Each structure stands twice: as C-alpha cells, then as structure tokens.
Amino acid sequence: MGSSKTIRKLEVSSPVPADIDIANSVEPLLISQIADSLGINPSHYDLYGKYKAKVLLSVLDELDGSDDGYYVVVGGITPTPLGEGKSTTTVGLCQALGAFLDKKVVTCLRQPSQGPTFGIKGGAAGGGYSQVIPMDEFNLHLTGDIHAITASNNLLAASIDARIFHEASQSDKALFNRLCPPNKQGRRSFADVMFRRLKKLGISKTNPDDLTPEEVKRFARLDIDPDSITWRRVMDVNDRFLRKITIGQGPEEKGMMRETAFDISVASEIMAVLALTTSLPDMRERLGRMVVGNSKSGEPITADDLGIGGALTVLMKDAIHPTLMQTLEGTPVLVHAGPFANIAHGNSSIVADKIAIKLVGKGGFVVTEAGFGADIGTEKFMNIKSRYSGLTPQCAIVVATVRALKMHGGGPEVVAGRPLDHAYLNENVVLVEAGCANLSKHISNTKAYGVNVVVAINRFATDTDAEMDSVRNAAIAAGAFDAVVCTHHAHGGKGAVDLGLAVQRACESHTQPLKFLYPLDFSIKEKIGAIAESYGATGVEYSEQAEKQIDMYTKQGFSNLPICMAKTQYSFSHIPARKGVPDGFVLPIRDVRASIGAGFIYPIVGTMSTMPGLPTRPCFFDIDIDTATGKVIGLS
C-alpha cells in the first residue's frame, strides 16, 4: 500500500499538460518515506539526495523466507511511430493498484539512456499523469549506473589494445617478468586474478618460478587476434560519426592501427550482465568470463585472461544496487539497468525484481516492463530473464492502441512531423479489425508461456466505443483473460483501476507452470528455429559468416546458452515495413555473436545499429533550465 502516508491525490487538468510540467507540479515525497512504506530498514538503503536511494542487496537476507508477491510483465503489440504507451501503462497500473486498490506494489523499470533523451525519442518516465518522478533525474544521470558501465567497458577496451601493444614488443620472458615482478626479497607471486587463467590452462602451480618456459609462454602471451576483437568502446550519446573509427594513429603506437567503433553505453555487454546478475559474487563471475575476442589459435579470450575482472567489479559495485524512486501518486519504483531491447534482452534487472517480489509479499504486485513488442521484450523476459531468475510470472499484459492497430490493419504511413491522416482520427472499425490480427498473434504467443494475458487498450480522445468493442472482442477471441480500456495518461491511477482489477483476477486464477519456448540443450540452430517459428517464419537461412560463428561457439562449449534475437522491433518479420502478421517469409541470419558473461548468444537479423545518430532536430533544442528556480524545462 503505499501506506496512506505516501499515497498522493492527483489534481488532473484537461487537456493534459506537457509531461515535464506535470512532473514539476508535484512535490515528491522524501524517498525515506517511500522506503518506510515498503518496510525497508534504513540500514538497507543509501540516500542519493532527497528523492533517490540505492536499495542494498543486503535487504534480501532480511527478507529471506518471506512470501513472494504476484509478478506481472508488460509487453505490447508490434511498435509503430504512433506509440503504444507501455511505460505509461506500467506506471498507471501501479498507481491504480497502490493508490486506489490498496495493494502493496512496486514498479520495476529500466533506466533510460541519455542518447534517446537528447535524440529522437525523448525520456522514458511514462507520460501524462502516469509518471516516475523526479522526471528529470530519472531521465538524466540518475545514480550514475550508466556512467559506471561506460567507465568499466572502456577500461576493458583500453586493456585489450594495451595488451596487444605490449606483447608485440616483448619476449615471453620479459612479459612474464613484468606480469609477475619479484618483490624486495626477490620472490615472485601471482595476483589472485591470475589463478583463473592458470586454472583455465590446466596449470596447478602456485609459484611463478616453477613454470616451465612453455607454461610461461602460454600464461603470459594471450596472442589476441586483432581481427577477432568484438569489444568496442562506448559512450551514452547518439553519435553517428563514431560508428566506424581507426585507433592507434599516435606516433608511439606505430603499426598498431585497427578499425573499430563506438557503441552506445546501454548496448555494452556489461549492461546486460548488470541486468541478468543475481548477486555480487555472480556479477564478479559474469564480468570475468566476458569474451572480448579470440587468440590466433581460436581460443576465447576473457576479461579474467586480461586480469581485469576484479577491477571491473569494483567499478560496478554500487551499480548493482537498484535505485528507489516514486510515481506521481506516491507508489514505489525500482529503476535498474537498461539493456537495449533489440540487440540485448531489453528488461530491467533480476535483482530489482527479486527485491521487489519479497518487499510486496503475499498478495502484493511487482509490475515490470519488457522492451518493444511482445515478440521481442516478452519473449526475452520469459526465455532469458525468467530462466536465470527462477521467478514465475502469473500475468502478462499486451498494450495496444486503436491508432496503432489501424496502422497494422493497412492504414496510411505515419511520418514524424506531419499531421495524422484522417483514418487515424475518425472511426474506422474495418481498419481496426484488420489490425487486430497483430494483437491476436501477440496474445497467442504470450499465452503459450503459461501466463494469463490481459490486454490494456490505451484510449485516446478520438477513439470510439465501436472501435473499443472491436479490440476487446478480438482479444477475447484470441484467448486473452480480459481486455480493458484505460485512461491513465489523462487520469493517473484512477484511469487504470479496471486494468488493476483484471490483473488481480488474472494473477489469483493463475495455475500453470512457466513454459519456455525451447530447452537449453537444443542446438543453437534449433533454438533459433523455435523463435523464428513464433514470428511466423517458414524457415531460417544462414549466411556463411553465421554458419562459421555457430560452429565456433558450439566448439567453444557455448551452445547451451539461451538465444537473444537481434531483430527489428517494427515487424514480426525482418522487414520493418511489413506490418500486421506477415507470412511466407524466411528469416535471414546475417551473423551470430555471443555475450558469454551476460549469458546469451545473439543472432543478428538484417542490419542492427548499436550507435544511434542525431536527427536534424534533436530533442535537445527544447531542453533548457529555468535559471531562477533551477528546474529543467522542455524534457519530454
């Protein structure tokens, strides 16, 4: 419940003001009050100012043995430029459950990247009267987790090139002498992290002086193949001119030039590790086993081979703790991790969900959002996140809007900056019914995991009752547990009370175990095939490069990992323009890569950019500060 102390009554205006104006009009509660409403002892959180706190993983020890609450994931239909409002629905539902239905509830959301905030998309704190506040802090630096990821990612990148540089100019003996220098007494010792490489090489000796010349060479010389390096530098800014760069052009690095690129920080494997880790020891292991490339003989080279796994963990030691915030109506929010949803798994962290599910307890609710459409975000939530967390969701929500369904039904193209076509602003039940095929496929796909599916229909002022009825009828016919009209953008939690009641019924009547789409012992190709089938593909075709990578990962012993498809979010197929439910397509796998530390193989379908660019008119044109009050203006 948020206790009555923390529930805040909203005064709503019509028409709905700008998001930042609504956010700035509400004085947030002290975050210590929000923590108190959840029963978190002050020894289990660190304050970051007045309105944010890091909830420490130590709280799990205190909650061990307590009952779990219900677990709900919010996905959507295939995204369109019209927006479906998944984040807004996630927040609005939680405001309804906590502020109107007297339930203990925690919202678990991803931390947004600053790239889209200043680029095209804007922020990701929800919208209208269903938002996380303070909205500017949520969308900008928050508690520095993405900065920690950027620093640790780039330290690893620097260590790779430095190691190649030093190995190129030194003999085996000189390398070994520098890696294991003698102390003042003339005795050598291995750093603790070095024992991980020794164990990998099958060397059980503990004294550096006992190694044979052959063992010295194997230990000291990583012999990284520069062409095999997959690890790139990152920054949390959209910058298209960093998509391809040349490094090593300084006079002292003569002859060491190579082509590489920057990714956006949230595309770093370290972000995916943060999202999928279950504890500090687990994060240390995952960071250490991240593979950065291969040796010239084809052996995978890890962060621990470079001796850097421990240092990376130190840089990430505060980032592992989720950040506590609040909604406009005073219900608690845990913000943690923000992996890309198309090239990574697009879900907030396991540790945030594990903490939340114990904090709300029996009869309480944890609601988390999965990125993009249910074919991507919900699929990865089930097959990757839930597999690693061991948590079982009872209910999955599919968010839809009449306008987006019209587009899937064959409506005119929508272009940013141009007025909406007549078809989207006036009743057209035929177009809506045609588009409901997309909704129906998402419902049947999601239902197959053994969860009850509730459809949330975000109502706009131009939508008609006949259009609402057609969506509801199609959803129920496709097997949805319920389909509910929502107005939480305009009315806050009050506009999602019916959705809250439907979700409560769906959770209480859930009886099935979680069913994965594939077992882990399937081959890489069998797992890819199972996911492709869920998209409606008639088959899969692999490029020569993809075949080569699959063979390599299988030989290296990585074929038992789950699959994280890197595919366009705008269609079930690989062709963004194919809306609705495409059929008769063969899914082309261009390449296959691996995030070994995070724990998944990611096949690349088509061309996926890991560094967005800025448009002609980025969001930053509207962002400024009121110098009299210090408040941010223009953030969307």
Side-chain angles (χ1 to χ4, degrees):
M1 277 146 301
S3 66
S4 53
K5 287 184 298 185
T6 66
I7 296 307
R8 184 192 295 107
K9 192 167 177 358
L10 278 181
E11 301 292 333
V12 303
S13 301
S14 181
V16 178
D19 290 350
I20 188 73
D21 294 336
I22 294 172
N24 284 341
S25 73
V26 174
E27 182 65 30
L29 295 157
L30 295 175
I31 203 65
S32 53
Q33 291 176 264
I34 302 291
D36 187 51
S37 76
L38 284 169
I40 306 174
N41 187 302
S43 64
H44 293 309
Y45 63 85
D46 289 337
L47 294 172
Y48 278 63
K50 291 187 285 188
Y51 308 125
K52 304 187 298 282
K54 282 278 197 183
V55 179
L56 307 179
L57 300 196
S58 59
V59 75
L60 284 170
D61 298 330
E62 197 167 284
L63 295 166
D64 190 35
S66 56
D67 290 332
D68 289 358
Y70 293 121
Y71 194 31
V72 181
V73 61
V74 179
I77 60 170
T78 303
T80 70
L82 292 163
E84 289 64 61
K86 277 200 325 294
S87 301
T88 308
T89 301
T90 304
V91 175
L93 167 62
C94 291
Q95 290 180 175
L97 287 166
F100 290 88
L101 298 174
D102 204 32
K103 300 295 179 186
K104 208 164 182 183
V105 62
V106 174
T107 316
C108 290
L109 293 175
R110 286 182 293 165
Q111 178 185 354
S113 162
Q114 287 179 182
T117 299
F118 292 105
I120 295 176
K121 184 172 172 277
Y129 287 101
S130 295
Q131 290 189 60
V132 179
I133 56 172
M135 182 254 230
D136 54 335
E137 295 185 31
F138 177 89
N139 283 313
L140 299 175
H141 305 284
L142 197 64
T143 45
D145 295 356
I146 293 180
H147 300 319
I149 287 162
T150 304
S152 49
N153 183 100
N154 293 345
L155 180 63
L156 178 51
S159 76
I160 296 165
D161 290 301
R163 186 62 174 257
I164 294 170
F165 173 79
H166 291 302
E167 286 190 19
S169 61
Q170 296 178 49
S171 66
D172 297 341
K173 190 176 176 185
L175 262 178
F176 187 65
N177 285 342
R178 287 189 169 94
L179 289 168
C180 301
N183 62 15
K184 285 176 183 172
Q185 289 75 41
R187 290 199 197 95
R188 298 176 191 277
S189 62
F190 290 117
D192 284 348
V193 71
M194 292 176 175
F195 288 108
R196 292 170 180 254
R197 175 155 179 80
L198 289 165
K199 184 179 178 186
K200 176 179 169 179
L201 296 172
I203 300 170
S204 57
K205 296 168 183 175
T206 56
N207 183 349
D209 292 325
D210 292 343
L211 266 61
T212 66
E214 176 58 28
E215 287 170 337
V216 164
K217 179 175 184 170
R218 290 174 63 217
F219 168 76
R221 195 166 292 281
L222 300 183
D223 202 26
I224 297 168
D225 177 359
D227 293 334
S228 76
I229 296 170
T230 53
W231 199 265
R232 295 169 163 186
R233 288 156 176 84
V234 299
M235 63 193 303
D236 200 35
V237 173
N238 289 4
D239 190 346
R240 67 178 70 247
F241 284 91
L242 294 177
R243 288 172 180 168
K244 190 173 185 182
I245 60 167
T246 303
I247 59 169
Q249 296 191 68
E252 292 188 8
E253 291 73 46
K254 207 170 178 185
M256 305 296 291
M257 285 196 308
R258 69 179 182 91
E259 279 191 352
T260 180
F262 271 77
D263 293 333
I264 196 160
S265 295
V266 293
S268 170
E269 182 176 349
I270 295 176
M271 175 62 92
V273 166
L274 178 65
L276 289 170
T277 195
T278 53
S279 65
L280 187 61
D282 177 64
M283 184 169 75
R284 170 64 186 88
E285 294 306 314
R286 287 175 181 271
L287 291 171
R289 66 174 179 254
M290 293 187 303
V291 173
V292 301
N294 297 325
S295 69
K296 286 171 184 165
S297 63
E299 293 301 310
I301 301 298
T302 68
D304 272 341
D305 286 329
L306 285 154
I308 202 169
L312 299 180
T313 311
V314 168
L315 282 171
M316 292 293 293
K317 73 179 178 62
D318 296 322
I320 196 172
H321 305 295
T323 299
L324 181 65
M325 294 188 76
Q326 62 191 286
T327 66
L328 285 168
E329 299 192 63
T331 61
V333 181
L334 284 176
V335 187
H336 202 212
F340 254 27
N342 44 15
I343 61 155
H345 70 289
N347 282 267
S348 60
S349 77
I350 285 174
V351 292
D353 291 1
K354 285 198 156 199
I355 289 170
I357 215 158
K358 292 294 186 188
L359 286 173
V360 299
K362 191 170 184 178
F365 292 83
V366 173
V367 183
T368 187
E369 179 194 347
F372 295 138
D375 58 318
I376 292 183
T378 305
E379 183 270 307
K380 293 173 183 181
F381 171 87
M382 300 294 183
N383 291 305
I384 301 175
K385 183 178 179 180
S386 295
R387 206 187 287 264
Y388 281 126
S389 73
L391 299 175
T392 299
Q394 289 78 33
C395 173
I397 294 171
V398 178
V399 180
T401 63
V402 161
R403 298 194 306 184
L405 289 169
K406 284 178 177 176
M407 192 170 178
H408 282 296
E413 189 184 357
V414 174
V415 181
R418 280 195 213 155
L420 277 179
D421 188 272
H422 178 271
Y424 295 111
L425 302 172
N426 294 274
E427 181 170 287
N428 190 327
V429 175
V430 174
L431 211 51
V432 174
E433 284 175 345
C436 280
N438 182 272
L439 171 63
S440 299
K441 181 153 181 63
H442 283 297
I443 292 168
S444 58
N445 276 3
T446 306
K447 199 177 171 188
Y449 295 110
V451 292
N452 285 331
V453 179
V454 173
V455 173
I457 311 162
N458 272 341
R459 183 161 196 162
F460 287 74
T462 52
D463 298 341
T464 68
D465 288 344
E467 289 172 330
M468 293 286 127
D469 288 343
S470 70
V471 179
R472 181 174 159 72
N473 292 339
I476 299 299
F481 179 87
D482 206 346
V484 184
V485 176
C486 312
T487 59
H488 44 269
H489 184 273
H491 302 120
K494 189 178 180 183
V497 168
D498 288 345
L499 177 62
L501 291 168
V503 166
Q504 184 180 342
R505 289 193 303 271
C507 288
E508 288 171 351
S509 62
H510 176 262
T511 55
Q512 295 187 63
L514 179 58
K515 300 170 192 161
F516 298 120
L517 202 52
Y518 52 80
L520 290 180
D521 59 6
F522 265 25
S523 70
I524 292 174
K525 282 190 173 180
E526 285 173 322
K527 286 183 271 205
I528 292 170
I531 298 171
E533 195 177 317
S534 77
Y535 299 155
T538 55
V540 183
E541 61 182 21
Y542 296 89
S543 70
E544 195 179 323
Q545 168 69 4
E547 294 275 11
K548 189 179 98 181
Q549 293 293 101
I550 289 170
D551 287 346
M552 182 185 77
Y553 290 133
T554 304
K555 283 192 186 102
Q556 290 177 342
F558 300 137
S559 64
N560 62 340
L561 292 173
I563 299 294
C564 182
M565 290 291 239
K567 178 186 81 75
T568 177
Q569 63 269 33
Y570 295 116
S571 173
F572 274 111
S573 75
H574 55 289
I575 303 163
R578 293 193 68 180
K579 304 299 179 195
V581 184
D583 57 13
F585 66 94
V586 175
L587 198 71
I589 306 295
R590 181 174 62 83
D591 198 357
V592 177
R593 296 180 194 160
S595 291
I596 302 303
F600 53 74
I601 303 278
Y602 61 101
I604 297 171
V605 183
T607 308
M608 302 300 304
S609 174
T610 50
M611 173 54 89
L614 289 171
T616 307
R617 191 190 186 284
C619 294
F620 61 61
F621 274 95
D622 300 311
I623 298 169
D624 212 323
I625 196 156
D626 181 333
T627 53
T629 64
K631 285 197 168 178
V632 174
I633 50 178
L635 199 59
S636 62

